[in-house]
Amino acid sequence: MAEELTPSAPEEEEQPIKQRKNGLYPGVSDELAENMAGGWADTERHDLEPIAQAAHTATRRTALSARFPGERLVIPSGNLKTRSNDTEYSFRAATEYAYLTGDQTEDGVLVLEPTADGHEATIYLLPRSNRENGEFWLSGQGELWVGRRHSLGEATQLLGIASHDVRELPERLREATGPVRVVRGHDAGVEAALNDKVTAERDEELRAYLSEARAVKDAFEIGELQKACDSTARGFEDVVKVLDKAEATSERYIEGTFFLRARVEGNDVGYGSICAAGPHATTLHWVRNDGAVRSGDLLLLDAGVETTTLYTADVTRTLPINGRYSELQRKIYDAVYDAQEAGIAAVKPGAKYRDFHDASQRVLAERLVEWGLVEGPVERVLELGLQRRWTLHGTGHMLGMDVHDCAAARTEAYVDGTLEPGMCLTVEPGLYFQEDDLTVPEEYRGIGVRIEDDILVTEDGNRNLSDGLPRQADEVEAWMARLRQS
């Protein structure tokens, strides 16, 4: 990785660009500066078409405008975060910002200025890096170091929103009058400029609204979620084909294999992949992925591809590493499968959000009583929550641009709400018997099973977006055998 001459771009164009403390060049001669400033072709593009979701983002902004009339609304994309010294983490735009604009660049800010009949939307962005002052080749975020940015004119063509230089925004915000709301937690500079104009309570209302607005997906979003699920299914197939190599190395081979599919067909993984072999499957968010992969054990793979428009799948399969479930593994797997079937059947318009969770938990409680692991009757178990020693988590969550989408929504609109067509959620019951759990027979210990699918609520029921992957035990074994022979 080459060393740039400066650590960061200047805040204002007229400021000199600082040199790296231990750079190999002590400075820039006037002659070199003059040479680098000229002789470059005009690469401005005038033939750009709007991004695919531009009409949808405009509709979303209109709904936002109607909800907060007469108020200035500020939605930042966020800034780069330092990973170590002068390297940054890969940037991922704030969900609220990407949902309303379709843009994914760092330092962007969407501002809705109140007007007599609604709002006027403006997006504030970094323009192309300056060639006259050398920013484009001297700055660590200059064009020759990190790549070309869209010009403001190009951004307007793509996004359908008037674009301005984001470096002008702090002063405009400081001078703003009237009520203002901002989505917090993404841009400290924006928040500082609004420090005396906003309140936490009012800002949380904006954040909650934007969470709830994402609950019902439009046609574009449903299509993206389907793409994410289809790519995820191919990623799972990739993993099955290389399980022998994972046995020779570790869970990291599985993680890397799935990641390749996510990067080739999407933007990234939607969350840290859980590649949990053997007893690691009993740890709900096992993302270290550094353990052994052994024949005879189960692999709990919980992973999702995030599309280039930032919609993610979230799918789990629990697979026999050698291709065949043992008798006990199948008994536990079938219980989870039956619980998932009951949960999926409960997903339909008009149903309570909690219904699918309750349906799944009842099946699991019945099996735990049947196996003698907890004393019945089942109603007592459910009333006291005794099954939770082995079921641990809720049976699902909303899904979309965040793997746990709509998380800031009001409780009455989410877990206490009612399902509507266009909502997408996961159904993911599980049973987890810890290695050190002395309340279960020894042969159960270290077995963890979860099955998870992404379910769209339709007008007449539901649709399993991730049904490209088998779920029933016999079908899983046959699928794995086919893939290993191919």
Side-chain angles (χ1 to χ4, degrees):
M1 181 177 180
E3 285 192 335
E4 70 271 21
L5 292 180
T6 72
S8 62
E11 291 185 2
E12 301 293 341
E13 291 184 5
E14 55 270 12
Q15 292 182 348
I17 296 174
K18 297 177 182 178
Q19 301 300 298
R20 176 184 290 277
K21 180 178 180 181
N22 288 306
L24 294 175
Y25 292 103
V28 177
S29 68
D30 291 343
E31 289 79 5
L32 177 57
E34 182 179 358
N35 177 277
M36 290 297 291
W40 304 99
D42 180 7
T43 60
E44 181 77 9
R45 297 187 60 183
H46 303 281
D47 58 348
L48 296 174
E49 295 293 329
I51 58 174
Q53 66 268 46
H56 296 284
T57 57
T59 299
R60 298 166 195 166
R61 293 192 300 273
T62 298
L64 175 60
S65 172
R67 172 62 180 81
F68 298 102
E71 302 186 50
R72 181 176 284 100
L73 308 174
V74 183
I75 302 96
S77 75
N79 315 123
L80 291 173
K81 290 181 172 61
T82 299
R83 181 181 185 273
S84 177
N85 188 24
D86 59 352
T87 61
E88 292 87 18
Y89 287 104
S90 296
F91 180 75
R92 202 278 196 182
T95 292
E96 297 90 348
Y97 174 86
Y99 175 75
L100 292 167
T101 67
D103 181 54
Q104 297 182 34
T105 58
E106 66 269 16
D107 300 326
V109 184
L110 173 68
V111 178
L112 270 62
E113 298 279 355
T115 63
D117 55 356
H119 285 82
E120 180 180 356
T122 304
I123 192 166
Y124 290 86
L125 303 166
L126 281 172
R128 291 190 63 190
S129 49
N130 192 306
R131 290 180 182 262
E132 292 182 2
N133 72 353
E135 176 194 346
F136 80 109
W137 72 287
L138 291 173
S139 167
Q141 295 302 319
E143 186 170 300
L144 297 194
W145 288 99
V146 298
R148 183 186 188 278
R149 292 192 289 266
H150 287 298
S151 71
L152 298 179
E154 290 168 349
T156 296
Q157 292 180 67
L158 289 166
L159 305 175
I161 311 172
S163 304
H164 290 279
D165 190 333
V166 71
R167 291 171 293 192
E168 304 169 357
L169 182 60
E171 186 59 31
R172 293 191 181 187
L173 294 178
R174 282 190 287 268
E175 295 175 351
T177 58
V180 185
R181 297 179 193 252
V182 63
V183 176
R184 299 190 181 202
H186 302 301
D187 193 316
V190 167
E191 291 178 35
L194 293 171
N195 183 52
D196 60 345
K197 305 176 191 300
V198 295
T199 67
E201 181 180 5
R202 286 163 52 77
D203 291 347
E204 182 57 29
E205 289 176 352
L206 171 61
R207 183 167 173 258
Y209 168 81
L210 289 172
S211 258
E212 293 169 24
R214 298 199 307 276
V216 175
K217 272 58 180 179
D218 58 37
F220 176 85
E221 294 178 291
I222 293 169
E224 290 301 295
L225 286 167
Q226 186 65 69
K227 287 181 189 176
C229 288
D230 293 345
S231 288
T232 297
R234 289 187 284 272
F236 275 65
E237 291 173 353
D238 296 339
V239 167
V240 171
K241 292 176 181 179
V242 300
L243 280 178
D244 57 333
K245 295 183 174 64
E247 288 187 62
T249 53
S250 76
E251 295 162 338
R252 290 194 175 179
Y253 204 97
I254 295 167
E255 179 183 359
T257 298
F258 187 85
F259 180 70
L260 177 61
R261 178 67 65 173
R263 287 293 281 167
V264 168
E265 294 193 3
N267 175 61
D268 205 329
V269 290
Y271 53 96
S273 298
I274 298 167
C275 308
H280 289 162
T282 66
T283 301
L284 297 184
H285 286 172
W286 176 261
V287 293
R288 299 179 200 171
N289 299 336
D290 58 0
V293 179
R294 300 184 180 93
S295 179
D297 284 346
L298 296 175
L299 167 67
L300 190 157
L301 177 58
D302 184 336
V305 172
E306 178 186 73
T307 66
T308 56
T309 57
L310 307 185
Y311 289 84
T312 187
D314 182 8
V315 179
T316 306
R317 291 294 183 270
T318 305
L319 311 173
I321 292 168
N322 65 10
R324 303 285 293 182
Y325 295 101
S326 71
E327 183 177 352
L328 178 59
Q329 288 170 350
R330 181 182 282 259
K331 181 176 84 165
I332 296 170
Y333 185 94
D334 285 348
V336 175
Y337 172 80
D338 290 345
Q340 194 200 27
E341 283 282 274
I344 292 173
V347 176
K348 53 191 174 183
K352 296 296 184 184
Y353 177 85
R354 294 179 182 271
D355 287 354
F356 75 95
H357 169 72
D358 293 342
S360 290
Q361 290 293 299
R362 175 170 291 278
V363 171
L364 295 178
E366 289 170 351
R367 297 302 170 87
L368 291 167
V369 171
E370 177 186 325
W371 298 340
L373 302 184
V374 64
E375 182 181 350
V378 170
E379 293 299 339
R380 168 184 171 271
V381 172
L382 291 170
E383 181 181 355
L384 299 177
L386 301 179
Q387 82 285 359
R388 293 179 61 187
R389 181 181 179 100
W390 304 283
T391 67
L392 294 178
H393 55 80
T395 310
H397 51 80
M398 291 293 190
L399 183 69
M401 296 185 82
D402 289 330
V403 66
H404 296 142
D405 209 25
C406 311
R410 295 166 300 158
T411 300
E412 59 266 30
Y414 193 159
V415 295
D416 290 339
T418 301
L419 297 180
E420 302 176 38
M423 290 182 172
C424 187
L425 52 91
T426 66
V427 179
E428 51 174 313
L431 283 173
Y432 311 92
F433 299 103
Q434 306 302 320
E435 280 191 292
D436 58 351
D437 187 349
L438 301 181
T439 69
V440 300
E442 185 175 359
E443 61 268 24
Y444 283 74
R445 299 172 198 167
I447 295 178
V449 174
R450 180 165 66 251
I451 312 171
E452 177 181 20
D453 284 271
D454 301 342
I455 310 298
L456 174 71
V457 183
T458 62
E459 294 289 345
D460 56 358
N462 68 64
R463 186 171 104 221
N464 187 342
L465 300 179
S466 50
D467 64 359
L469 288 170
R471 293 186 295 123
Q472 197 273 337
D474 288 340
E475 293 174 351
V476 170
E477 291 178 342
W479 169 73
M480 292 182 70
R482 288 195 303 273
L483 290 173
R484 289 176 162 181
Q485 293 168 2
S486 62

